[in-house]
C-alpha cells in the first residue's frame, strides 16, 4: 500500500512561529485535516474516476500550516513533526481504518470509488478535496 501521510505532511508543514502546545499532534484540527487529506489521496490513488482537487487541497493544507503557526509552533517543531515516522504511521493507520469503516475493501478497487462518490455527495471534508 502506498504511504499517504508522508506526502501530505511534507507538502503541508514547513513553517511556524512561537511556541504553545506541546506537540503539533495536539492540534486536533490539524490532525483531523491531515487524516482527511490522506483519505482523499488514498481514494484517488485507487479510484481512477476521481482525483484530488490540487488547488483546493493545497489551500487546505496551507490552512493547516497556518493553524500550527497560530498555535505557536516553531519551524523546528513543525519540521520534527514532518519527519516523525511514528506519527506518519499513526495517521495512516487512522485514515485507513476510517476508510474501512466507510466501506473500503482493499481487495475491491470499486469500493474506493463507492466511498469516494459517497463522500463527495455528502460534502464531507474528504469529499470536498475530491472531484
Amino acid at each position: 500500500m502506498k504511504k499517504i501521510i508522508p506526502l501530505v505532511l511534507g507538502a503541508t508543514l514547513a513553517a511556524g512561529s512561537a511556541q504553545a502546545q506541546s506537540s503539533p499532534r495536539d492540534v486536533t484540527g490539524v490532525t483531523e485535516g491531515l487524516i482527511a487529506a490522506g483519505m482523499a489521496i488514498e481514494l484517488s490513488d485507487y479510484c481512477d474516476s476521481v482525483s484530488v482537487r490540487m488547488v483546493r487541497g493545497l489551500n487546505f493544507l496551507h490552512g493547516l500550516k497556518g493553524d500550527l503557526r497560530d498555535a505557536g509552533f516553531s519551524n523546528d517543531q513543525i519540521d520534527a513533526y514532518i519527519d516523525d515516522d511514528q506519527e506518519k504511521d499513526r495517521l495512516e493507520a487512522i485514515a485507513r481504518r476510517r476508510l474501512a469503516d466507510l466501506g473500503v475493501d482493499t481487495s475491491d478497487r470499486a469500493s474506493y470509488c463507492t466511498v469516494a462518490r459517497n463522500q463527495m455527495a455528502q460534502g464531507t471534508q474528504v469529499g470536498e478535496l475530491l472531484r
Side-chain angles (χ1 to χ4, degrees):
M1 237 185 220
K2 295 180 183 179
K3 293 286 189 180
I4 56 177
I5 300 300
L7 172 66
V8 175
L9 286 174
T12 307
L13 309 172
S17 59
Q19 186 171 29
Q21 300 180 28
S22 61
S23 169
R25 176 182 180 169
D26 297 332
V27 182
T28 303
V30 171
T31 300
E32 290 300 317
L34 290 172
I35 292 167
M39 291 169 66
I41 291 168
E42 184 88 345
L43 291 170
S44 72
D45 283 348
Y46 291 97
C47 177
D48 294 334
S49 64
V50 300
S51 61
V52 173
R53 294 174 179 246
M54 294 306 291
V55 173
R56 182 176 288 183
L58 289 173
N59 286 335
F60 176 71
L61 296 174
H62 285 290
L64 296 179
K65 180 175 61 175
D67 292 345
L68 287 178
R69 271 186 282 190
D70 292 346
F73 291 99
S74 70
N75 288 332
D76 289 342
Q77 289 171 305
I78 294 170
D79 289 344
Y81 185 60
I82 292 168
D83 295 334
D84 186 336
D85 290 335
Q86 287 181 331
E87 182 65 2
K88 292 173 194 173
D89 291 344
R90 184 184 80 84
L91 294 173
E92 286 174 5
I94 293 168
R96 289 193 174 110
R97 203 168 37 248
R98 288 186 185 174
L99 287 172
D101 290 346
L102 292 169
V104 165
D105 175 353
T106 57
S107 66
D108 177 14
R109 285 182 74 101
S111 69
Y112 289 89
C113 294
T114 300
V115 170
R117 284 190 295 275
N118 288 341
Q119 292 295 295
M120 292 187 306
Q122 293 172 17
T124 67
Q125 184 63 67
V126 173
E128 292 291 319
L129 296 171
L130 297 170
R131 68 167 149 214

